[in-house]
Amino acid sequence: MIDGFGRSIDYLRISVTDRCNFRCTYCMPEMQSFLPQPDLLSYDEITTLVGRFINHGIRKIRLTGGEPLVRRDIAVLINALGQHVKNGDLEELTMTTNGSRLAQFAPILAAAGMKRINVSLDTLDPDQFKRISRGGNLDTVLNGIQAAKAHGLDIKINMVALKGENEDALIPMVNFCAQNGFDLTLIETMPLGAGVSDREANYISLDAFTAPVREHFSLHALAHKSAGPARYWRVEPLGLRLGLITPMSHNFCDQCNRIRLTTDGKIYMCLGSELHVDLRRALREGTPSHVDTLLQTALRLKPQRHEFENQFAQPDLRLKRHMNATGG
Ligand code: SAM
Ligand code: SF4
């Protein structure tokens, strides 16, 4: 799949549920409503769509959400998609999770052929963790991470930079990741979703957030590219690989290779745009070939770049969709 700007699209993120057992302050409001069950794509519908996507050139899939591991019987979907990895149709199946259910699911992920996962962790301080996630238990997440490590999964920690909240958590996180052999990726907050009041006040550029790392250690730019938008650095002498995702301060859209399937079956061509096509309707009311036609339409809708900077500056331009529905 080549879009209107010559970018090759081979990476699909699937939000398997918009529900979550956390309410991270930057992601969603405390009182969040979720989609009714019939609106969700069933596992059969997701696997049907994935088959079509693979025919169109998708090679990498990340399961996300909401929290993917809270959807009932998620192992059924993980195993079904894992078959595509085992028979070589997919290069990689990965997941982004908050880690709270990893102790239970790590063996299932490993058995399905997952090699690596991203775990979101914004601090190693239990009280700060509870505050940011609105109720999460740090020990449960850390146990889950160790279970994933014990099952041979490579782990990348995702940490959202929050001004006035977790700046002091960065150096402990850098040391924790280096000691455990994890990668660390830092993310700037994006203006997605209504009702998240502190997000703009909490925004800090990664140039500013990472200043203490540059003070204590030396950073060397790496040529390494992952499927995602991060730029990578090696932190010496720790040997840590540090990824920086800077949607706000350093645009990366010219390299974008991603599309997103929402919980209710829409394909969004960009996290920062409302342009989409409705594949669920095509599946439920049309024919499978209708899905293929819509995918070609969707490719033409992919914008050149997101407009997060304008959306930050002008509240009336902000997208109503939250990160959990589209899939981070
Ligand atoms: N629940 C899983 C988790 O937290 O890893 C997967 C879904 S979550 C929406 C995916 C990623 O998006 C997480 O790393 C989270 O920190 C990040 N995220 C959520 N809202 C964000 C926002 N407004 N700006 C930047 N990153 C955000
Ligand atoms: Fe849940 Fe992930 Fe959003 Fe936190 S970032 S509320 S864990 S979906």
Side-chain angles (χ1 to χ4, degrees):
M1 289 194 279
I2 307 286
D3 77 359
F5 299 95
R7 295 169 296 196
S8 176
I9 311 298
D10 65 356
Y11 182 15
L12 173 68
R13 293 194 180 182
I14 306 177
S15 175
V16 296
T17 175
D18 59 340
R19 286 170 196 268
C20 188
N21 49 348
F22 292 176
R23 296 284 184 279
C24 299
T25 51
Y26 49 81
C27 179
M28 57 172 100
E30 197 159 10
M31 303 305 287
Q32 171 79 351
S33 57
F34 298 103
L35 290 167
Q37 190 68 22
D39 283 4
L40 269 59
L41 288 180
S42 68
Y43 293 151
D44 277 349
E45 287 173 325
I46 295 176
T47 42
T48 301
L49 287 178
V50 163
R52 313 295 299 186
F53 279 115
I54 289 173
N55 290 344
H56 284 271
I58 290 295
R59 291 289 169 265
K60 297 165 200 152
I61 291 183
R62 175 175 297 277
L63 301 180
T64 177
E67 173 48 40
L69 296 179
V70 301
R71 183 158 172 186
R72 191 181 305 157
D73 297 330
I74 188 67
V76 171
L77 182 70
I78 294 168
N79 289 331
L81 299 185
Q83 287 305 320
H84 288 295
V85 179
K86 289 176 183 165
N87 67 21
D89 292 345
L90 277 182
E91 276 170 30
E92 144 167 290
L93 176 66
T94 56
M95 175 175 283
T96 302
T97 170
N98 65 24
S100 61
R101 299 213 169 160
L102 263 182
Q104 179 191 345
F105 280 97
I108 293 168
L109 304 188
M114 255 185 225
K115 300 275 182 279
R116 57 190 194 93
I117 54 170
N118 290 2
V119 185
S120 301
L121 184 61
D122 301 319
T123 176
L124 291 166
D125 178 285
D127 294 329
Q128 197 175 43
F129 184 79
K130 194 169 269 280
R131 193 164 63 238
I132 296 174
S133 61
R134 294 204 187 94
N137 182 295
L138 179 66
D139 278 344
T140 310
V141 172
L142 293 179
N143 289 339
I145 291 173
Q146 291 307 333
K149 182 178 173 185
H151 280 86
L153 293 164
D154 286 344
I155 292 165
K156 186 192 285 180
I157 300 294
N158 277 356
M159 178 181 190
V160 174
L162 301 166
K163 186 164 109 190
E165 181 59 87
N166 68 350
E167 291 149 292
D168 57 345
L170 179 57
I171 294 294
M173 190 68 80
V174 162
N175 286 320
F176 168 78
C177 289
Q179 280 154 16
N180 281 281
F182 304 154
D183 288 350
L184 172 63
T185 292
L186 307 177
I187 308 175
E188 289 176 348
T189 53
M190 290 170 250
L192 269 176
V196 182
S197 55
D198 291 341
R199 193 189 300 111
E200 284 70 34
N202 282 148
Y203 170 75
I204 177 169
S205 76
L206 289 190
D207 286 343
F209 190 72
T210 54
V213 181
R214 277 179 270 114
E215 224 168 82
H216 287 81
F217 308 103
S218 61
L219 267 67
H220 305 271
L222 293 176
H224 173 78
K225 266 309 289 164
S226 64
R231 293 171 294 130
Y232 287 94
W233 303 81
R234 178 78 60 196
V235 181
E236 298 294 7
L238 298 177
L240 170 77
R241 187 157 63 191
L242 179 71
L244 304 182
I245 300 187
T246 52
M248 306 300 295
S249 61
H250 300 275
N251 186 278
F252 44 65
C253 298
D254 57 335
Q255 308 281 334
C256 187
N257 58 348
R258 292 173 294 288
I259 53 177
R260 292 180 157 83
L261 179 62
T262 62
T263 315
D264 58 352
K266 299 187 172 75
I267 280 284
Y268 278 86
M269 304 307 285
C270 172
L271 194 54
S273 157
E274 289 295 12
L275 296 173
H276 65 274
V277 295
D278 188 348
L279 295 187
R280 190 189 66 193
R281 186 183 309 161
L283 263 187
R284 293 186 184 173
E285 296 170 14
T287 62
S289 64
H290 199 177
V291 169
D292 297 334
T293 313
L294 278 181
L295 275 179
Q296 293 308 321
T297 307
L299 269 182
R300 290 197 298 276
L301 291 180
K302 191 165 170 65
Q304 188 166 19
R305 51 164 299 160
H306 66 69
E307 298 289 340
F308 286 144
E309 300 86 343
N310 296 339
Q311 287 153 359
F312 237 120
Q314 296 184 58
D316 49 323
L317 292 182
R318 277 183 211 149
L319 303 176
K320 304 272 181 300
R321 267 181 304 118
H322 288 92
M323 187 73 114
N324 60 311
T326 324

